[in-house]
Amino acid sequence: MAKIDVFEMERLQSLYWHEVEYDLSESGVAPLSLDELLRDDHARRALLDTGLGYPLSEGSERTRAFVAEWYDGAGVENVTITNGGSEANLVALWSLLEPGDRLAFMVPNYLQGWGLGRHFGDATDTFALVRGRDGWSLDVDALERAIGPGTKAVMVCNPNNPTGYVLTADEMDAIVRAAEHVGAWIVADEIYRGAEVDTDRTTPTFWGRSDRVIVTSGLSKAFGLPGLRVGWAVASQETIAELWIRHDYTTLTPGMLSDSLAQIAMEPARREELLARTRGIIRTNLPRLEGWIATKPALTYVRPRAGAIAYVDYDLPIGSRELIDRIRTQQSVLLVPGEMFGLGNGFRVGFGFDIEHTIKGLDRAALSFP
Ligand SMILES: Cc1ncc(COP(=O)(O)O)c(C=O)c1O
């Protein structure tokens, strides 16, 4: 078989999330039901009348227009709809990287890009978000070291999974400058944008900051609609055409019903309602989680700035895979080990669902770190 790294976090989740009593590995918020999304009879009727043929390959014009509205200066020609944000990342990196190319990759991160960089290109070089007394920040020296003449693309996740960190304007500028210095592309996975914890100001996007930018995102996290499997990429028209060539080899089109439902979700007024719902869930649940963490002397954490995920460090003499394995097999609680994000002794916990259930699960997990 051709070699590719196992995407360990996704494998862990797909193997176990449905088997454990407490799945705290999920990184989104409690999803909307179809009934909640289709709230009037007209929308319900329209959905029931939908012919189940193929939709447009790149997504319907109206869905793309609504997505484009979320990115200043973008038009329908700058958007393509994919099956999840993960497909957008796949076709973006497939389009950019070929043997001989290197990917500079921010860690910690959702490691899809890390594996794809090694698969499509020659290597993935990492640069870090580092944790200091004031929280997370970008190590700009490491960024500059990770980017060299062979670097074809720089990939970031902003807001970040798993830390919930949001890059400052200066850090975004540093990334753009370092990428432009060697003519590299920026692939910005912004799937948590819109799920800010302490502000209603949406996280700034990389779109428009350089000519060579591909933004990837979708409805799975900040919009609470992962089951639709709707993602997108935003890029120049020529770049979108390149992504489309790959999309013809992957899934051809989004699902017809998903495209129709994405249209409803991304209509600008509804989009803002959905994001406000997500922020409401996060703001209600986070204080409960913080209160719980504060009672555990072995745990430290930095408050996330966005997303329904918290990254928690622990001070215990055991590696994160082993600890999380033990918690899963002995307490039937699924957390994600720090090592699966490029970190060390820590774990990610999702807090976007029923918070009382989450706290009960954490109490159980704490039997392994009293
Ligand atoms: C940063 C990031 N990008 C992409 C994805 C995948 O998104 P989707 O479920 O829309 O394919 C995830 C899922 O956890 C994620 O955390």
Side-chain angles (χ1 to χ4, degrees):
M1 291 289 170
K3 279 220 158 64
I4 188 162
D5 297 300
V6 172
F7 188 173
E8 294 192 80
M9 186 191 81
E10 286 297 346
R11 179 52 55 95
L12 175 85
Q13 288 185 283
S14 53
L15 282 176
Y16 301 119
W17 75 265
H18 49 97
E19 285 189 353
V20 290
E21 280 176 65
Y22 296 91
D23 173 24
L24 310 187
S25 74
E26 175 55 55
S27 61
V29 295
L32 278 93
S33 67
L34 184 56
D35 199 39
E36 285 169 291
L37 189 60
L38 289 175
R39 58 184 170 195
D40 62 71
D41 289 344
H42 175 71
R44 284 197 182 102
R45 191 66 254 162
L47 193 79
L48 290 174
D49 287 342
T50 307
L52 294 176
Y54 285 113
L56 283 184
S57 175
E58 70 278 34
S60 66
E61 174 134 357
R62 211 169 145 78
T63 304
R64 283 181 291 135
F66 285 157
V67 170
E69 283 246 7
W70 207 32
Y71 300 89
D72 271 355
V76 283
E77 68 283 4
N78 299 116
V79 177
T80 193
I81 305 294
T82 56
N83 286 274
S86 44
E87 191 185 28
N89 287 335
L90 172 75
V91 292
L93 292 175
W94 188 6
S95 300
L96 293 175
L97 298 171
E98 53 193 345
D101 292 337
R102 303 178 77 88
L103 174 71
F105 188 71
M106 176 198 269
V107 286
N109 207 329
Y110 182 66
L111 294 187
Q112 183 190 12
W114 182 82
L116 291 178
R118 287 159 54 83
H119 185 66
F120 291 126
D122 264 9
T124 299
D125 304 302
T126 57
F127 58 94
L129 290 178
V130 286
R131 206 186 128 163
R133 255 192 291 146
D134 299 330
W136 295 96
S137 61
L138 177 71
D139 181 343
V140 177
D141 290 338
L143 167 76
E144 286 166 2
R145 277 198 305 276
I147 298 178
T151 306
K152 185 68 167 295
V154 181
M155 185 165 192
V156 300
C157 175
N158 189 53
N160 181 254
N161 176 5
T163 63
Y165 181 63
V166 174
L167 293 166
T168 64
D170 283 351
E171 289 170 336
M172 291 176 84
D173 286 346
I175 290 166
V176 170
R177 254 197 324 274
E180 287 189 339
H181 187 64
V182 296
W185 288 75
I186 294 169
V187 180
D189 182 335
E190 299 180 351
I191 202 162
Y192 294 91
R193 177 174 179 243
E196 292 72 22
V197 175
D198 291 317
T199 171
D200 289 339
R201 193 171 156 260
T202 304
T203 299
T205 168
F206 273 90
W207 168 251
R209 283 172 194 259
S210 171
D211 290 342
R212 295 186 168 189
V213 168
I214 303 176
V215 169
T216 61
S217 188
L219 295 179
S220 301
K221 308 296 174 187
F223 292 93
L225 295 165
L228 291 185
R229 310 304 304 129
V230 167
W232 55 79
V234 185
S236 70
Q237 198 170 353
E238 304 75 56
T239 308
I240 290 294
E242 288 293 328
L243 268 54
W244 195 353
I245 291 172
R246 275 84 187 168
H247 194 196
D248 287 342
Y249 280 104
T250 54
T251 58
L252 307 183
T253 77
M256 185 54 133
L257 295 179
S258 292
D259 185 321
S260 305
L261 293 165
Q263 218 173 90
I264 293 172
M266 286 307 286
E267 181 276 315
R270 195 67 192 282
R271 175 191 82 206
E272 292 307 313
E273 268 183 50
L274 294 179
L275 296 178
R277 169 187 180 274
T278 298
R279 292 194 295 258
I281 293 172
I282 289 173
R283 291 169 194 180
T284 304
N285 292 359
L286 183 56
R288 281 285 281 132
L289 176 69
E290 290 190 303
W292 185 87
I293 293 172
T295 65
K296 301 285 168 233
L299 305 184
T300 45
Y301 106 120
V302 175
R303 186 182 166 84
R305 296 189 184 170
I309 40 182
Y311 186 75
V312 182
D313 280 307
Y314 61 80
D315 184 13
L316 296 167
I318 179 170
S320 64
R321 278 171 206 267
E322 198 185 336
L323 177 66
I324 287 341
D325 238 35
R326 182 192 294 175
I327 292 172
R328 176 178 60 75
T329 52
Q330 297 183 3
Q331 275 92 41
S332 197
V333 180
L334 187 62
L335 296 160
V336 187
E339 284 172 57
M340 290 188 185
F341 302 102
L343 287 169
N345 283 2
F347 57 82
R348 187 189 75 182
V349 52
F351 60 88
F353 287 70
D354 177 351
I355 192 64
E356 298 313 322
H357 180 77
T358 303
I359 297 293
K360 274 192 203 142
L362 285 170
D363 279 338
R364 279 256 204 117
L367 297 173
S368 293
F369 47 87

